[in-house]
Amino acid sequence: MNTGLSFSSRPSPSSSEKNEEAVLMNGGDSSEDVEEQEQVMSEVHLGCPPGISGPHVSRFTISLPPEVESSRYNELFKVEESRAQQEFMVDEDGDLVLPRRSQTPDRCFTVKIRHNITSSIPSVGLQVWKAELLLADFVLHKMCTSVEFDGIVALELGAGTGLAGMLLACVAKTIFLTDHGDEVLDNCLKNVEINAGVLSCQASIYVRELDWMIPWPPNVSPDSSSQKRYSWTSTELEECQGASLLLAADVIYSDHLTDALFGTLEQLMPVGSDKVLYLALEKRYNFSLNDLDVVANGYSRFKSCLQEEEEGCGGFKCELLPSFIGKRMNITEIPQYVRHYDKGNDVELWQIRCNKQKP
């Protein structure tokens, strides 16, 4: 079920000029108050009737792309018979659009995701974003065509609704789904629970609080009796630091949060196992009063935090360059497993490794 709406995707409240202007327009409220009041909407709007702000449960249909041959697909997932005749789409006016019946049976399954249709900027993790679906496609393709992710420990940063991490749990050993704020974490945990009977999860899944503004490692509860719902134990933290795979989707939309993310990565990635981060993002364009032009501010800050792999050291000492080496991946080589969304031209997937030596 799908409606693709032409709303602005996840905003980039990164420029001080935008916040100052918003403060003046809101009677002197702080920029934090403005962010709490402002409602934003994702372009991904699957099965959501008009006029509903949320929460809402959408069904994401996942199928094996016709160009992919995978003997693992049926083993990993509880594949359903083709249900194309039962699927429907709703257009922007809320009218039912009936699809043509498929001539060939599809090997598909459905994941339910509880999400909001709109949210404040600090709570955008309650929504589903396009980059999250791209990351899910990437994870699914790796799982179906290789054993690279089998038995690993993985950490998802800014997990939001938890889609990519839950899919990965079908082959991994342990998954840590992390985000900030009880509302987002409660929703993420709910998604894990409602999909327990759909996904054949092999992994232990932990939903945990991780605030990038606080230096890594996060605080540990001294004993189970005093442990808050989303706090860490020392055993969990030790296992997490040994994670070899990090995931993140649509976490690049604010300069100060981008700085905080890379600050956390700089402390986390050199610890324990060699780590690789796969980060999906969507470039967001805003009019800048400073530049008097439409610019992708959040994207520019992201690019400044890493050295692109093909650039090399360029005559400089490598230790003077950014601590991270990034490679932009060719997303045309990633088949689409999640149905009914348009990748568009502004989503990207990056492979990022740490350039610092282990302590």
Side-chain angles (χ1 to χ4, degrees):
M1 296 182 289
N2 174 342
T3 301
L5 299 183
S6 300
F7 288 91
S8 295
S9 53
R10 201 166 186 166
S12 178
S14 56
S15 64
S16 59
E17 60 203 24
K18 180 178 177 182
N19 283 335
E20 289 170 3
E21 185 176 281
V23 167
L24 293 174
M25 293 173 63
N26 285 273
D29 291 344
S30 68
S31 59
E32 289 80 6
D33 291 335
V34 172
E35 289 188 1
E36 286 288 352
Q37 296 166 8
E38 182 181 357
Q39 292 290 302
V40 294
M41 179 183 285
S42 168
E43 290 179 357
V44 178
H45 210 198
L46 298 179
C48 302
I52 296 179
S53 60
H56 182 82
V57 176
S58 290
R59 291 170 172 80
F60 289 77
T61 300
I62 296 172
S63 62
L64 185 70
E67 68 270 29
V68 178
E69 293 187 9
S70 172
S71 59
R72 304 194 77 202
Y73 182 78
N74 288 348
E75 300 171 5
L76 294 175
F77 306 112
K78 297 178 180 179
V79 179
E80 307 163 357
E81 292 295 325
S82 174
R83 298 178 59 186
Q85 67 273 16
Q86 299 181 28
E87 293 181 3
F88 64 89
M89 297 185 291
V90 181
D91 65 20
E92 294 184 14
D93 298 320
D95 297 324
L96 189 65
V97 178
L98 295 176
R100 295 178 183 271
R101 182 173 296 185
S102 175
Q103 298 301 312
T104 57
D106 294 321
R107 291 182 289 171
C108 63
F109 64 98
T110 301
V111 177
K112 296 179 182 179
I113 296 295
R114 183 178 185 267
H115 64 94
N116 278 21
I117 299 173
T118 65
S119 70
S120 64
I121 293 174
S123 299
V124 288
L126 293 171
Q127 297 191 58
V128 180
W129 300 91
K130 191 182 295 186
E132 182 178 3
L133 302 182
L134 172 62
L135 184 62
D137 279 337
F138 170 75
V139 168
L140 285 163
H141 193 52
K142 280 284 190 181
M143 292 166 57
C144 288
T145 59
S146 77
V147 296
E148 184 178 339
F149 291 166
D150 287 19
I152 64 169
V153 176
L155 166 67
E156 185 170 5
L157 298 152
T161 62
L163 176 60
M166 287 191 296
L167 294 169
L168 181 60
C170 292
V171 297
K173 174 189 175 185
T174 307
I175 302 290
F176 293 94
L177 302 176
T178 66
D179 216 307
H180 178 54
D182 283 351
E183 188 178 14
V184 174
L185 293 167
D186 286 345
N187 189 67
C188 184
L189 180 59
K190 183 67 176 178
N191 282 325
V192 172
E193 292 171 349
I194 64 179
N195 287 289
V198 177
L199 300 174
S200 303
C201 294
Q202 304 298 316
S204 299
I205 303 177
Y206 298 94
V207 178
R208 292 293 177 260
E209 174 100 19
L210 185 57
D211 186 350
W212 304 337
M213 298 297 180
I214 299 175
W216 179 273
N219 293 327
V220 172
S221 296
D223 55 74
S224 57
S225 61
S226 63
Q227 184 178 3
K228 296 181 180 179
R229 190 174 194 186
Y230 300 115
S231 60
W232 297 76
T233 67
S234 56
T235 302
E236 292 168 2
L237 185 59
E238 182 178 0
E239 184 174 20
C240 181
Q241 292 188 146
S244 59
L245 176 66
L246 309 182
L247 299 174
D250 231 321
V251 294
I252 306 300
Y253 60 95
S254 163
D255 284 359
H256 77 278
L257 285 178
T258 299
D259 292 340
L261 169 63
F262 277 92
T264 296
L265 293 173
E266 194 164 7
Q267 296 168 321
L268 170 62
M269 291 189 76
V271 178
S273 304
D274 289 336
K275 296 175 174 58
V276 58
L277 165 66
Y278 290 101
L279 186 150
L281 60 85
E282 183 174 1
K283 291 187 287 186
R284 290 184 168 83
Y285 297 95
N286 299 277
F287 184 81
S288 167
L289 293 177
N290 288 333
D291 299 300
L292 294 179
D293 198 1
V294 176
V295 296
N297 288 329
Y299 184 71
S300 298
R301 179 60 65 93
F302 164 74
K303 292 286 292 292
S304 73
C305 292
L306 50 84
Q307 169 198 352
E308 292 196 50
E309 187 176 72
E310 61 270 19
E311 291 176 351
C313 292
F316 295 95
K317 292 184 177 180
C318 287
E319 59 266 23
L320 301 179
L321 294 172
S323 301
F324 301 95
I325 299 174
K327 176 185 177 182
R328 180 181 171 184
M329 304 180 69
N330 184 358
I331 65 171
T332 64
E333 296 178 355
I334 303 172
Q336 187 162 335
Y337 290 75
V338 183
R339 288 184 179 178
H340 307 315
Y341 86 98
D342 180 13
K343 293 179 183 177
N345 298 318
D346 294 322
V347 290
E348 296 181 357
L349 181 65
W350 286 77
Q351 180 192 74
I352 299 173
R353 298 183 184 273
C354 186
N355 198 28
K356 293 183 67 175
Q357 293 185 348
K358 293 180 180 294

